[in-house]
Amino acid sequence: MPASTNPEDGDIELQVERAVLAQTPVRSAMFFRTLASTNDYAKQLLTGEAARESMLAFPLLISAEEQTAGRGRGSKKWWTGKGAIAVSLVLDLAEMELARDDLAPLSPLTAESVAETIRETVGPEHSLEVHPPNDVYLNGKKVCGILIESPKPECAIFGIGINTNNSVANRPEEFKEVPISTILDETGRTTDHSLFLVALFNRFFARLSGG
């Protein structure tokens, strides 16, 4: 049975979580109003005391309504304001028949899964590109950042931040000169996070299994 823990419940977020648990291979989920970084929380969960006591099943989804200190590769930062998708998908590598050495090629695989899902959402009139290894650009502006980490040999964290229903009008000063955008700003339309994440994760897991 899918497991769900909700540290802070919200009606819309619960609908998203239930859809993901019911319609994708994700088996448990945790939702927070605000996190500094969903990847950082996932790492704490995997390496701290909670890791030994947790009854959560994998794949595990950790999501936040707002992420205040999103990270990219190295020292890079990534902004995912309130209204964006900020998630970390935690996988048991052995369960997925994967190893740490398999993670590098999964970075572009994840980006392509995101790009295809955005393409379904925005339609063919908008240009979409994946900039190696894993940045997704919509109409020439970055809308998605991906960070894959493996704090323990047996686990991997796929951090995905997608600017959907937020707006660059509210981006922090440090990102003012960075060519970023959001799906809302580019199309004028809001994104249904339930439909988007169900499509994304099903596409991702299908690609992961070679489908």
Side-chain angles (χ1 to χ4, degrees):
M1 292 289 290
S4 171
T5 61
N6 300 285
E8 302 170 25
D9 289 341
D11 290 343
I12 295 176
E13 290 75 18
L14 275 175
Q15 291 173 17
V16 174
E17 187 177 284
R18 286 168 179 159
V20 169
L21 290 172
Q23 301 175 50
T24 79
V26 175
R27 295 176 63 201
S28 58
M30 303 177 73
F31 168 75
F32 295 87
R33 290 286 184 202
T34 304
L35 281 178
S37 160
T38 57
N39 264 37
D40 285 349
Y41 184 84
K43 288 167 74 174
Q44 293 170 12
L45 192 66
L46 291 175
T47 59
E49 284 293 324
R52 288 190 289 274
E53 300 173 3
S54 174
M55 298 299 290
L56 294 170
F58 297 97
L60 160 68
L61 179 66
I62 297 170
S63 62
E65 183 178 346
E66 183 176 17
Q67 183 174 247
T68 59
R71 296 186 294 108
R73 290 180 299 131
S75 60
K76 292 181 179 180
K77 297 180 181 179
W78 178 237
W79 171 68
T80 42
K82 190 172 183 180
I85 288 174
V87 299
S88 290
L89 184 65
V90 186
L91 301 184
D92 181 313
L93 292 177
E95 186 177 277
M96 305 301 298
E97 298 184 350
L98 296 169
R100 261 183 173 168
D101 292 343
D102 300 317
L103 293 179
L106 296 186
S107 194
L109 178 150
T110 307
E112 288 290 349
S113 298
V114 171
E116 289 180 15
T117 308
I118 293 177
R119 188 172 287 111
E120 284 183 348
T121 303
V122 303
E125 64 270 25
H126 297 276
S127 68
L128 266 165
E129 298 175 293
V130 173
H131 289 204
N134 56 21
D135 291 336
V136 181
Y137 280 65
L138 174 62
N139 297 335
K141 302 167 188 174
K142 184 176 175 179
V143 295
C144 173
I146 294 166
L147 178 63
I148 301 176
E149 299 181 290
S150 180
K152 299 178 71 175
E154 64 270 25
C155 296
I157 303 166
F158 290 71
I160 305 171
I162 309 168
N163 285 329
T164 52
N165 299 331
N166 50 330
S167 173
V168 292
N170 301 316
R171 60 182 162 176
E173 189 66 34
E174 63 186 304
F175 291 97
K176 293 292 186 183
E177 304 301 320
V178 181
I180 61 177
S181 192
T182 76
I183 294 176
L184 176 63
D185 287 337
E186 294 301 310
T187 68
R189 302 191 302 269
T190 57
T191 299
D192 185 315
H193 285 182
S194 293
L195 294 177
F196 189 97
L197 288 176
V198 167
L200 170 60
F201 291 141
N202 282 333
R203 180 171 281 116
F204 170 80
F205 282 107
R207 282 174 169 265
L208 204 59
S209 61

